[in-house]
Amino acid sequence: MSPSHDGARRRRRLAGEIKDSLRELSNQLSLLNHQVGAQLDLKDVDLDCLELITRHGPMSPSALARRAGLHPATMTGVLDRLQRGGWITRERDPEAADRRAVTVRALRDRNAEVFHLYSGMNTKMDELLADYSEADLQLLVDFLQRTTTAGHTATATLAEA
């Protein structure tokens, strides 16, 4: 076998291992999120939407539905549950041309509950990342950002189909 063929085979094997590891990571994070949601009495989709609001700031329900890939009617149920649970507030947008326009905002006083439940994972991540050089960390950041972009693209493509 030629050295270039052997190198290509090793590269394909490593690429496959990366993809397998990403799928396993996705599964593990999904299970972690499910456990966090259960502790907080939130459905998985509710926790996902709360994370989007917390991460991206206040937004309209329709913008949140687009980000979450949910039907607006489904979003109404999610927001009703989050509001009843004291996780979010809906506020009229005084700047909007449509006086019915609403902005959804996360209530920060509940953040400590969420952070506490993720603290075990955050501690493990800090320990794991301590073993990497700054250059390694920059490579990982680049890889994860590019992987996230690929995921957004794949999701959008499926949503359009």
Side-chain angles (χ1 to χ4, degrees), residues 2 12 16 21 45 73 105 116-117 120 125 133:
S2 72
R12 280 193 308 274
S21 293
V45 68
R105 180 181 313 277
H116 172 72
L117 293 171
M125 289 300 302
S133 71

Side-chain angles (χ1 to χ4, degrees), residues 3-157:
S4 65
H5 182 73
D6 205 32
R9 180 181 293 171
R10 277 195 311 275
R11 187 171 178 84
R12 280 193 308 274
R13 182 183 51 76
L14 288 170
E17 287 181 28
I18 289 169
K19 291 173 189 175
D20 288 345
S21 293
L22 285 172
R23 281 191 292 277
E24 183 61 25
L25 174 60
S26 175
N27 289 335
Q28 288 303 312
L29 292 175
S30 180
L31 292 169
L32 174 63
N33 289 340
H34 181 75
Q35 289 300 316
V36 167
Q39 294 283 322
L40 298 171
D41 198 27
L42 291 174
K43 293 181 177 192
D44 292 354
V45 68
D46 299 353
L47 184 61
D48 292 343
C49 289
L50 180 61
E51 169 65 16
L52 288 170
I53 298 165
T54 301
R55 178 171 295 276
H56 299 287
M59 66 184 82
S60 70
S62 58
L64 180 58
R66 278 191 303 277
R67 278 190 186 266
L70 297 174
H71 189 277
T74 303
M75 184 55 60
T76 299
V78 168
L79 294 176
D80 287 346
R81 289 189 299 273
L82 288 172
Q83 189 168 17
R84 272 194 312 273
W87 294 101
I88 61 146
T89 184
R90 291 171 170 139
E91 301 168 350
R92 294 272 176 226
D93 185 351
E95 304 294 317
D98 181 348
R99 292 184 357 195
R100 297 170 296 168
V102 171
T103 298
V104 179
R105 180 181 313 277
L107 296 174
R108 300 284 179 208
D109 55 338
R110 301 284 313 262
N111 281 351
E113 294 173 62
V114 179
F115 290 139
H116 172 72
L117 293 171
Y118 284 110
S119 65
M121 181 62 170
N122 285 331
T123 298
K124 291 294 184 190
M125 289 300 302
D126 290 341
E127 292 168 2
L128 182 132
L129 294 172
D131 293 337
Y132 291 90
S133 71
E134 188 174 335
D136 292 337
L137 293 174
Q138 188 56 53
L139 179 67
L140 289 169
V141 166
D142 177 66
F143 172 76
L144 291 170
Q145 288 174 342
R146 292 170 66 189
T147 300
T148 300
T149 299
H152 284 296
T153 302
T155 301
T157 301

